[in-house]
Amino acid sequence: MNGLTDIFVRSVFIDNMIFAYFLGMCSYLAVSKNVKTAFGLGIAVTFVLAVTVPVNYLIDKYLLREGALTWINPDFANVDLSFLSLIVFIAVIAGIVQLLEMVIEKFTPVLYQALGIFLPLIAVNCAILGCSLFMQEKNFPTVAHSFSYALGSGVGWLLAIVAFAAIRERLKYSDIPKGLQGNGIAYIITGLLGIGFMAFLGI
Amino acid sequence: MAAGMKSFSNKYIFFYITVLVVAVVALLTVVTLGLKPRQTANRTADKAMQILHAAGYQDVTSDKAVALFSRVAEKKTGEREVYGIRCADGSPGVVMRVDGKGLWGAIWGYVVLDGERSPVKGVVFSHRSGTPGLGANIAEENFTSRFVGKKLYDANGNFTSVRVLQKGKSPDVALDNRVDAISGATLTSKGVDKMLQQLNNEGK
Amino acid sequence: MKLPLGPLSKDNPILVQVLGVCSALAVTAQLKPAVVMALSVTVVCAFSNLIISLIRNTIPPRIRIIVQLLVVSTLVIVVDQFLQAYVYEVSKMLSVFVGLIITNCIIMGRLEAFALSHEPLPSFMDGMMNGLGYGLVLAIVGCLRELLGSGTLWNHPVIPSSLYAAGYLNNGLMILPPMALILVGSLIWILNSKKSKAK
């Protein structure tokens, strides 16, 4: 079990989606004007990651990877469909997001009100596709590992956007040089936060 | 979107997307199959280059690597990947492949020895995730060069492997049998440490 | 035809429209991967704009996002395969970031905003210019980070050894990921200040 916690902690703090890989920056910069919406988007991203990454893991393991099709017929051992993985992953993500939207709307209207507006944004969030691609590259042994990784990445992303939104709320009251206002300072703050997160490197 | 506001029947949409998907898959299959030989050749050359670097051939370019490799190295029979190789300085050596697990995914390396029970001539390490993961720079020379001249056996001839340990820890391991771990990459360093233990069965 | 040069300076997609930062900056620790990445994005952006513009009147609006995704991801896979076949070293460094071009907001953004409503040739130029504008930022950041962080450019040492002897040190901080963001922030600052002066 230790491996699972390792992966979780590592993906939250050290290989943070935003601070180490800059994934999902577009929505990170756009939806961080206040803490509440930032939190909502963060939860939505975590949720979608936790669903899509394990699904993509199974698809990769049993359909796409070289030799993955042997469970149908041993003759397929040399079939390598991994060149299709990009298309399949993005299709799976778009499909699942759509599905989630419908399911949530039907069964939990409260949650839908909170997350609904974010879900369409998410299909094209680089963090989601990125997480699936990293998962494929990291070659996890079981689906539980991929889930732990997805959850960790999601929580890391959430943490980053909430921290950033909190700083941005305060920023309104600071005296920033004119040319730097807006996006300029946003990038620099993210960079500084990233340097702060590097302190976790030692764990 | 003003021009595209015509309405389309469901039948059309279905037909459209089917045609598109078929076209895309066909195109991709052609491209992948067409480029595959080149890609495979690249991978072979890359591997040959890694081993040659460990054996001291410094300025090998990828286009010459395969030819040079087949001239100086020869795979030994057996399940594991072990090669006999003529090193850059002319001495005969043995290359052994080691496999392990870093924090993220697989790591592997090639260890070159001068001969049985002799000091390490050179090592190369590599890792699958080519992503700029922090602290995973085991492939860099500043780490691999620490292994040169280290010994897999202690003064009494017992196998100790080359341990990757934090500076100052376990002082009972002799300097000849240890290298310093990468600070900030504890788990990956441990992975390398564990990986090198495999040499116990092969260094003989 | 007049070239739409805006994206190279005052309408730069990264600096002004804040598009496409996601997949880009992680590959800017060195100049070479940054340039290859920039070229890949330019190719994908230009050709997806061209293709979508060519078929724009046949696309049912309801599924246009899916059609766009399909076209873009196909192009990305083709580019990725070519990189693996012809510049293997660099493709190893770029790894999954080539795949992430799909979700690059510049590309989808230009498809929606331009290619769907314009003729093929202007769309192609628009895609290319936006790709190049993006590439310019990547190249500048990559250049600064490699020069200051490793003392090399395109893997060739450029800082004279006499300087090192005089006590000059490479700034290791530059190689770390956060510096890319801080550099982009500074570029935005410079651009904005120039703009307000011009007014």
Side-chain angles (χ1 to χ4, degrees):
Chain A
M1 291 315 278
N2 197 20
L4 294 182
T5 1
D6 267 0
I7 289 179
F8 181 80
V9 172
R10 173 117 190 155
S11 49
V12 172
F13 293 110
I14 300 171
D15 284 333
N16 186 290
M17 275 287 161
I18 287 199
F19 298 135
Y21 298 118
F22 317 112
L23 294 182
M25 286 289 291
C26 306
S27 31
Y28 167 84
L29 289 171
V31 197
S32 54
K33 297 266 156 46
N34 71 65
V35 174
K36 213 176 149 204
T37 39
F39 188 75
L41 181 67
I43 294 283
V45 165
T46 312
F47 194 61
V48 172
L49 274 178
V51 179
T52 53
V53 171
V55 171
N56 279 337
Y57 175 83
L58 292 175
I59 290 180
D60 181 48
K61 190 161 184 188
Y62 292 108
L63 287 177
L64 298 175
R65 203 178 288 174
E66 185 167 13
L69 290 172
T70 38
W71 58 273
I72 304 178
N73 186 332
D75 294 346
F76 290 155
N78 286 323
V79 181
D80 182 4
L81 293 178
S82 48
F83 67 95
L84 287 177
S85 51
L86 270 177
I87 285 197
V88 175
F89 284 177
I90 194 93
V92 166
I93 289 167
I96 286 185
V97 168
Q98 196 88 56
L99 206 69
L100 275 179
E101 205 178 337
M102 289 192 293
V103 171
I104 295 178
E105 191 179 9
K106 183 115 204 307
F107 294 106
T108 52
V110 186
L111 191 63
Y112 182 72
Q113 284 204 326
L115 298 187
I117 48 163
F118 300 120
L119 285 174
L121 270 177
I122 281 178
V124 285
N125 186 322
C126 348
I128 311 279
L129 180 67
C131 196
S132 277
L133 292 174
F134 281 132
M135 170 276 296
Q136 186 186 31
E137 191 173 68
K138 291 187 188 346
N139 209 356
F140 291 120
T142 69
V143 70
H145 287 83
S146 74
F147 178 73
S148 161
Y149 177 61
L151 204 64
S153 303
V155 171
W157 203 88
L158 171 81
L159 208 66
I161 193 171
V162 170
F164 180 59
I167 294 179
R168 259 191 147 178
E169 279 189 358
R170 289 266 134 200
L171 219 54
K172 276 182 257 171
Y173 310 109
S174 355
D175 187 19
I176 303 164
K178 195 152 170 282
L180 204 55
Q181 277 168 17
N183 288 317
I185 194 75
Y187 279 100
I188 292 181
I189 290 174
T190 311
L192 292 176
L193 274 172
I195 293 180
F197 261 63
M198 286 180 56
F200 290 115
L201 204 67
I203 11 180
Chain B
M1 282 313 301
M5 270 315 180
K6 283 176 276 179
S7 61
F8 292 89
S9 66
N10 283 342
K11 218 166 156 187
Y12 177 84
I13 293 182
F14 188 74
F15 181 71
Y16 193 85
I17 206 83
T18 317
V19 170
L20 205 62
V21 168
V22 170
V24 160
V25 172
L27 173 76
L28 288 181
T29 315
V30 170
V31 169
T32 337
L33 289 182
L35 293 175
K36 193 123 205 172
R38 267 199 89 97
Q39 294 173 358
T40 323
N42 279 338
R43 268 181 220 123
T44 324
D46 193 53
K47 186 175 141 187
M49 212 155 73
Q50 284 181 8
I51 299 178
L52 288 171
H53 274 268
Y57 293 89
Q58 283 311 326
D59 304 311
V60 195
T61 48
S62 54
D63 47 326
K64 300 204 181 95
V66 179
L68 179 64
F69 184 74
S70 58
R71 238 182 309 131
V72 296
E74 192 186 358
K75 190 168 192 286
K76 295 196 172 170
T77 47
E79 289 213 345
R80 287 240 150 222
E81 263 188 75
V82 180
Y83 303 86
I85 191 166
R86 185 158 46 81
C87 294
D89 53 11
S91 59
V94 188
V95 186
M96 283 165 297
R97 183 181 165 109
V98 281
D99 279 288
K101 211 172 147 0
L103 180 73
W104 287 137
I107 53 176
W108 66 89
Y110 296 93
V111 179
V112 183
L113 299 179
D114 255 345
E116 202 180 309
R117 310 233 154 178
S118 53
V120 174
K121 186 116 187 146
V123 292
V124 278
F125 295 121
S126 198
H127 43 91
R128 185 157 192 267
S129 34
T131 45
L134 302 170
N137 28 18
I138 53 166
E140 273 167 31
E141 206 185 326
N142 138 17
F143 181 62
T144 53
S145 60
R146 295 178 198 176
F147 286 86
V148 177
K150 299 288 174 179
K151 294 184 178 127
L152 290 170
Y153 296 87
D154 67 11
N156 306 323
N158 299 317
F159 178 81
T160 55
S161 169
V162 180
R163 304 294 309 275
V164 182
L165 298 168
Q166 267 169 21
K167 225 178 206 160
K169 275 210 178 147
S170 335
D172 49 311
V173 179
L175 272 182
D176 267 352
N177 299 124
R178 63 184 292 164
V179 297
D180 291 336
I182 305 176
S183 53
T186 320
L187 285 167
T188 309
S189 298
K190 271 187 192 154
V192 176
D193 184 56
K194 208 168 160 198
M195 177 163 85
L196 292 173
Q197 307 276 353
Q198 290 169 12
L199 294 170
N200 191 9
N201 307 319
E202 297 162 23
K204 297 165 192 169
Chain C
M1 201 185 77
K2 198 173 155 287
L3 282 178
L5 286 174
L8 289 183
S9 56
K10 65 180 200 308
D11 290 326
N12 188 290
I14 289 193
L15 299 183
V16 180
Q17 306 167 19
V18 211
L19 290 176
V21 232
C22 316
S23 48
L25 294 174
V27 298
T28 53
Q30 285 180 330
L31 186 56
K32 200 171 175 187
V35 168
V36 174
M37 180 75 179
L39 289 178
S40 312
V41 171
T42 308
V43 168
V44 173
C45 198
F47 281 96
S48 61
N49 257 17
L50 177 69
I51 292 171
I52 290 291
S53 169
L54 280 174
I55 60 171
R56 69 185 187 280
N57 289 325
T58 67
I59 303 174
R62 264 170 59 199
I63 56 163
R64 68 171 200 287
I65 299 282
I66 299 179
V67 174
Q68 288 168 10
L69 273 180
L70 206 61
V71 170
V72 175
S73 33
T74 310
L75 284 169
V76 169
I77 295 177
V78 171
V79 166
D80 185 29
Q81 296 289 337
F82 270 94
L83 289 183
Q84 281 183 33
Y86 290 94
V87 278
Y88 185 70
E89 277 296 299
V90 183
S91 87
K92 267 205 315 193
M93 276 190 255
L94 293 178
S95 68
V96 303
F97 289 96
V98 178
L100 286 172
I101 295 178
I102 294 179
T103 48
N104 191 318
C105 323
I106 295 178
I107 294 169
M108 294 291 279
R110 288 331 285 171
L111 292 180
E112 279 282 298
F114 201 90
L116 276 174
S117 52
H118 287 81
E119 294 288 314
L121 195 60
S123 301
F124 184 76
M125 294 318 280
D126 178 80
M128 201 163 85
M129 283 303 150
N130 272 287
L132 286 177
Y134 168 91
L136 190 68
V137 176
L138 239 61
I140 293 174
V141 176
C143 196
L144 285 172
R145 283 179 77 188
E146 187 175 347
L147 182 66
L148 300 175
S150 325
T152 57
L153 269 185
W154 207 266
N155 292 334
H156 295 295
V158 284
I159 307 265
S161 51
S162 56
L163 214 59
Y164 284 110
Y168 175 82
L169 281 178
N170 286 328
N171 182 354
L173 201 61
M174 276 291 171
I175 306 179
L176 300 176
M179 282 317 284
L181 291 168
I182 294 179
L183 284 176
V184 173
S186 315
L187 283 179
I188 295 181
W189 192 1
I190 295 172
L191 191 74
N192 279 346
S193 318
K194 259 197 181 156
K195 251 197 209 162
S196 55
K197 247 184 223 154
K199 261 177 209 164

